[in-house]
């Protein structure tokens, strides 16, 4: 990462506290009912749906165990990620991303206009992924994002493709449970994810000499529908508790994935569920690796509150927006420090 420069230093009010408040309440949900002969057991599924609904409503975050993703697939993906990041910066930058194709390696990302203490490698779930060619509203041209594969490690592509298949399956299971928890048919949301623009990010957070001043990722909400996070044993994810605004550390649970609902589910649910701010602490002694899967709809999807969840008593709280243009605008901001706040869903909020 080179010398510590002022670009990494958070404003005083956003600097991390080194005293950890560990999360007692973030729900741990056992998905074994989905992966067993009991999966037709309606009472077991009903309990699961209720747990998911409570977690989405009260926390915006939960962890899942017995999720059906083989440990070997997770392990292969993490090992390939570690090998990639262990290379020289020069080697990694051979697959550096750019404004034309924002898949690949990057080491100067900003969140809230402060540089993150991390390096990343982004790969799209659908290869190629169809996206708008620009963020300009009137530009109808489409482009294809194509994954860049490094020469080393040679096993990265296979590990990624096998892992991705498992994560896609898990993401659909979770989306269907969330749909049921909103009182909708299980597959109500599935069509939004045809030609999905989902991606997986390999994160590497090197040891940081100023853990009291910098963050691995600054405070933010996820713009997509759902995030599934796999991580190593170092930890560092903090969630802003809805009840009091306190930053609390997500406790590590072996073999669990951490799930959070994103802004799109907040809009679809008309704020029954809320996307919650989170951030990543850095560690002065140990490097940390994590692999989030960001589930996103197709570029053509217009995101707006679902009609079944709105009526005269509960009118729509957001205007419709096009996901592809929204996502393209967000991606563009990763390449330059903007003088203004990046596009957010609150820009589409209907005044009450």
């Amino acid at each position: 990462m080179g010398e510590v420069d002022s670009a990494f230093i958070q404003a005083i009010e956003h600097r991390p506290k080194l005293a950890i408040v560990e999360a007692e309440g973030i729900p741990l949900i056992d998905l074994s009912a989905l992966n067993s002969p009991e999966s037709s057991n309606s009472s077991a599924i009903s309990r699961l749906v209720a747990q998911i609904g409570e977690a989405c409503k009260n926390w915006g975050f939960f962890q899942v165990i017995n999720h059906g993703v083989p440990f070997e697939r997770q392990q292969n993906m993490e090992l390939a990620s570690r090998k990639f990041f262990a290379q020289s910066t020069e080697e990694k930058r051979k697959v550096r991303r750019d404004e034309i194709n924002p898949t690949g390696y990057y080491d100067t990302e900003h969140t809230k206009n402060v540089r993150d203490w991390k390096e990343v490698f982004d790969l799209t779930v659908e290869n190629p992924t169809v996206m708008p060619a620009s963020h300009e509203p009137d530009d109808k041209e489409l482009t294809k994002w194509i994954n860049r594969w490094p020469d080393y490690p040679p096993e990265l592509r296979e590990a990624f493709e096998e892992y991705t298949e498992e994560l896609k399956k898990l993401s659909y299971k979770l989306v269907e449970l969330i749909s049921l928890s909103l009182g909708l048919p299980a597959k109500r949301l599935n069509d939004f994810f045809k030609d999905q623009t989902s991606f997986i990010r390999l994160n590497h957070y090197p040891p940081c000499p100023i853990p009291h001043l910098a963050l691995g990722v600054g405070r933010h909400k996820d713009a997509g529908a759902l995030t599934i996070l796999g991580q190593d044993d170092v930890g560092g994810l903090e969630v802003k508790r809805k009840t009091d605004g306190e930053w609390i550390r997500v406790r590590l649970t072996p073999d669990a994935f951490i799930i959070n609902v994103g802004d799109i589910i907040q809009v679809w649910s008309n704020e029954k569920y809320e996307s919650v701010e989170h951030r990543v602490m850095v560690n002065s002694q140990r490097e940390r690796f994590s692999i989030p899967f960001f589930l996103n709809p197709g570029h053509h999807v217009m995101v707006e509150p679902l009609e079944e969840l709105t009526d005269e008593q509960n009118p729509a709280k957001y205007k419709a927006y096009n996901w592809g243009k929204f996502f393209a605008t967000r991606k563009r901001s990763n390449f330059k420090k903007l003088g203004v706040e990046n596009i957010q869903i609150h820009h589409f909020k209907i005044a009450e």
Side-chain angles (χ1 to χ4, degrees):
M1 288 298 218
E3 289 183 19
V4 175
D5 67 39
S6 60
F8 289 105
I9 295 176
Q10 296 283 329
I12 290 171
E13 66 271 25
H14 299 305
R15 288 178 190 169
K17 295 176 187 169
L18 297 187
I20 294 169
V21 180
E22 216 172 49
E24 293 298 325
I26 291 180
L28 181 65
I29 298 176
D30 187 338
L31 297 183
S32 52
L34 294 181
N35 305 307
S36 69
E38 280 187 15
S39 59
S40 56
N41 179 335
S42 60
S43 64
I45 298 298
S46 296
R47 282 196 301 274
L48 201 47
V49 167
Q51 287 178 301
I52 295 274
E54 285 295 303
C56 291
K57 185 176 173 187
N58 297 329
W59 283 93
F61 269 81
F62 53 97
Q63 296 192 68
V64 293
I65 54 172
N66 297 318
H67 40 67
V69 178
F71 176 70
E72 181 187 7
R73 297 267 167 103
Q74 297 176 62
Q75 194 174 42
N76 290 346
M77 188 70 254
E78 186 184 319
L79 287 171
S81 174
R82 286 176 178 270
K83 286 182 181 179
F84 172 77
F85 286 120
Q87 298 179 99
S88 67
T89 302
E90 182 185 11
E91 278 301 311
K92 288 179 285 196
R93 284 184 174 166
K94 287 179 180 176
V95 286
R96 185 178 172 85
R97 72 191 195 189
D98 55 43
E99 289 194 55
I100 306 302
N101 186 3
T103 66
Y105 174 75
Y106 203 60
D107 59 355
T108 54
E109 191 158 80
H110 290 74
T111 302
K112 308 286 188 197
N113 285 323
V114 181
R115 192 169 159 191
D116 296 329
W117 191 272
K118 68 174 182 187
E119 52 182 347
V120 307
F121 189 77
D122 285 347
L123 292 160
T124 58
V125 166
E126 301 296 331
N127 188 31
T129 288
V130 178
M131 274 288 293
S134 83
H135 66 288
E136 298 294 344
D138 298 328
D139 184 356
K140 304 293 187 235
E141 190 182 344
L142 298 175
T143 189
K144 289 180 178 177
W145 290 356
I146 296 167
N147 283 334
R148 300 164 190 237
W149 299 106
D151 293 333
Y152 182 85
E155 67 270 23
L156 176 66
R157 182 168 187 165
E158 184 179 359
F160 172 80
E161 289 172 351
E162 289 182 345
Y163 184 68
T164 298
E165 281 309 305
E166 298 295 339
L167 268 286
K168 279 170 72 175
K169 284 188 251 177
L170 175 58
S171 70
Y172 276 105
K173 289 176 186 174
L174 292 167
V175 163
E176 289 176 12
L177 289 168
I178 288 169
S179 187
L180 288 167
S181 76
L182 290 166
L184 302 169
K187 297 189 185 298
R188 170 66 175 89
L189 306 175
N190 291 27
D191 283 351
F192 293 128
F193 301 104
K194 286 179 178 170
D195 309 315
Q196 60 184 263
T197 57
S198 307
F199 69 103
I200 281 180
R201 167 166 287 180
L202 312 180
N203 283 318
H204 174 226
Y205 303 93
C208 177
I210 51 163
H212 58 300
L213 299 177
L215 287 166
V217 184
R219 72 198 191 285
H220 68 286
K221 298 182 179 187
D222 292 346
L226 196 70
T227 305
I228 303 175
L229 176 71
Q231 61 174 345
D232 64 13
D233 63 349
V234 175
L237 178 66
E238 292 196 329
V239 174
K240 197 170 191 178
R241 188 162 51 198
K242 287 176 67 172
T243 51
D244 58 6
E246 181 76 47
W247 285 105
I248 54 171
R249 179 74 56 94
V250 179
R251 180 181 291 168
L252 287 166
T253 303
D255 302 327
F257 284 114
I258 300 169
I259 316 296
N260 63 284
V261 299
D263 289 345
I264 288 177
I265 283 180
Q266 178 169 319
V267 174
W268 281 340
S269 73
N270 208 30
E271 293 188 352
K272 184 171 182 181
Y273 298 157
E274 185 185 347
S275 174
V276 172
E277 270 196 323
H278 49 287
R279 67 185 187 184
V280 176
M281 301 279 281
V282 281
N283 191 298
S284 61
Q285 306 298 319
R286 296 180 65 189
E287 61 183 342
R288 175 178 181 259
F289 295 87
S290 72
I291 305 176
F293 171 104
F294 298 100
L295 179 68
N296 296 330
H299 73 87
H300 46 78
V301 169
M302 296 299 294
V303 179
E304 59 189 320
L306 299 170
E307 57 186 39
E308 301 97 315
L309 302 179
T310 59
D311 54 32
E312 283 185 20
Q313 284 71 45
N314 187 29
K317 296 179 178 175
Y318 295 89
K319 295 177 287 191
Y321 63 91
N322 173 261
W323 167 249
K325 291 294 184 184
F326 185 97
F327 191 30
T329 304
R330 290 284 284 242
K331 279 289 186 188
R332 175 175 166 265
S333 75
N334 291 337
F335 295 94
K336 50 194 72 169
K337 183 171 177 174
L338 302 179
V340 295
E341 180 189 26
N342 202 350
I343 191 169
Q344 307 285 350
I345 56 168
H346 68 69
H347 294 127
F348 300 93
K349 181 105 180 187
I350 297 170
E352 292 182 14

